[in-house]
């Protein structure tokens, strides 16, 4: 095998071989990225639909107050037995909130992961959530950066500024990038 490699390198210039390696490596990197995006899209859709099913089930119930207290807890137990991890009571509450905060599936951005949405859903104020949602997309924040920005109260600091209209615009459009 070593002799064949020596023969190839004697016939093919190293730069051409390096270009071949680069193209194949790039192909597999792109394939992996597309696969990750597809998985993320499906997981977000499944979480959104789970929230939708829970809300629709709750709204059809006649004695909602009675069973509403126990529905999420019972679902968490039963789904965990059937599906394994990922269906804790807390996660189901966030899936429900995900649907309620983004009632149109088209408004869910697949540029963000479930971990992004999990952090966004912790915001008490819908305008604050919308601000961080737009910023996370526009600035391409990783989850760690989103958490840092929320913890540092970026929205509140901007809201305390004198430009209230500007802050409202940021909540809907995001912060424009000033430098490349």
């Amino acid at each position: 095998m070593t002799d064949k490699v020596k023969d190839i390198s004697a016939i093919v210039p190293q730069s051409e071989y390096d270009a071949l390696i680069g193209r194949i490596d790039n192909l597999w990197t792109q394939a992996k990225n597309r696969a990750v995006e597809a998985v993320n899209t499906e997981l977000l859709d499944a979480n959104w639909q789970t929230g939708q099913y829970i809300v629709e089930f709750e709204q059809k119930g006649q004695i909602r107050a009675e069973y509403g207290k126990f529905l999420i807890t019972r679902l968490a137990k039963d789904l965990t037995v059937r599906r394994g991890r990922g269906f804790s009571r807390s996660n189901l509450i966030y899936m429900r909130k995900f649907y309620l905060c983004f009632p149109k599936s088209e408004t869910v951005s697949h540029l963000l992961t479930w971990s992004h949405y999990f952090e966004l859903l912790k915001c008490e104020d819908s305008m604050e959530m919308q601000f961080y949602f737009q910023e996370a997309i526009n600035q391409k924040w990783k989850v760690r950066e989103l958490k840092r920005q929320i913890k540092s109260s970026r929205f509140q600091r901007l809201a305390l500024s004198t430009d209230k209209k500007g802050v409202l615009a940021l909540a809907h459009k995001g912060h424009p990038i000033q430098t490349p």
Side-chain angles (χ1 to χ4, degrees):
M1 182 113 184
T2 313
D3 293 334
K4 290 182 181 179
V5 172
K6 287 181 182 176
D7 291 343
I8 291 171
S9 62
I11 300 170
V12 178
Q14 187 65 38
S15 61
E16 288 182 27
Y17 180 74
D18 289 344
L20 172 64
I21 293 280
R23 285 194 304 268
I24 293 171
D25 182 53
N26 190 38
L27 168 76
W28 282 94
T29 298
Q30 289 176 1
K32 179 184 171 193
N33 290 341
R34 286 191 306 269
V36 167
E37 288 173 16
V39 168
N40 183 56
T41 297
E42 292 302 319
L43 288 175
L44 283 176
D45 290 346
N47 286 337
W48 185 87
Q49 287 181 35
T50 299
Q52 179 186 28
Y53 293 158
I54 292 169
V55 169
E56 287 176 353
F57 186 84
E58 287 174 336
Q59 289 176 349
K60 287 182 186 173
Q62 305 244 329
I63 50 172
R64 182 175 170 232
E66 291 278 327
Y67 75 78
K69 298 178 216 170
F70 306 106
L71 175 64
I72 300 291
T73 303
R74 174 100 187 257
L75 277 173
K77 288 178 185 173
D78 292 341
L79 288 170
T80 299
V81 168
R82 285 186 181 210
R83 307 290 316 163
R85 290 180 47 179
F87 295 96
S88 66
R89 183 178 181 281
S90 172
N91 235 7
L92 290 174
I93 288 170
Y94 277 102
M95 289 178 199
R96 181 181 177 280
K97 189 173 180 181
F98 184 41
Y99 171 75
L100 291 171
C101 290
F102 298 90
K104 295 181 181 175
S105 64
E106 300 81 28
T107 62
V108 174
S109 172
H110 295 103
L111 297 174
L112 302 179
T113 64
W114 174 243
S115 297
H116 283 96
Y117 283 103
F118 194 82
E119 294 303 321
L120 289 169
L121 293 169
K122 292 176 184 177
C123 295
E124 297 294 323
D125 180 47
S126 63
M127 190 181 308
E128 177 184 9
M129 182 191 310
Q130 188 63 30
F131 170 80
Y132 288 119
F133 172 75
Q134 287 298 325
E135 285 290 282
I137 293 169
N138 294 344
Q139 305 298 328
K140 297 176 176 43
W141 286 344
K142 302 287 185 205
V143 176
R144 182 176 290 172
E145 180 64 15
L146 172 62
K147 287 171 83 170
R148 190 181 76 73
Q149 293 291 345
I150 292 171
K151 189 173 182 176
S152 72
S153 303
R154 181 178 181 162
F155 176 76
Q156 287 81 1
R157 285 184 284 118
L158 286 171
L160 290 174
S161 74
T162 55
D163 182 16
K164 300 294 183 200
K165 288 182 182 178
V167 172
L168 289 174
L170 286 174
H172 295 290
K173 296 178 185 168
H175 186 74
I177 299 172
Q178 300 296 327
T179 58

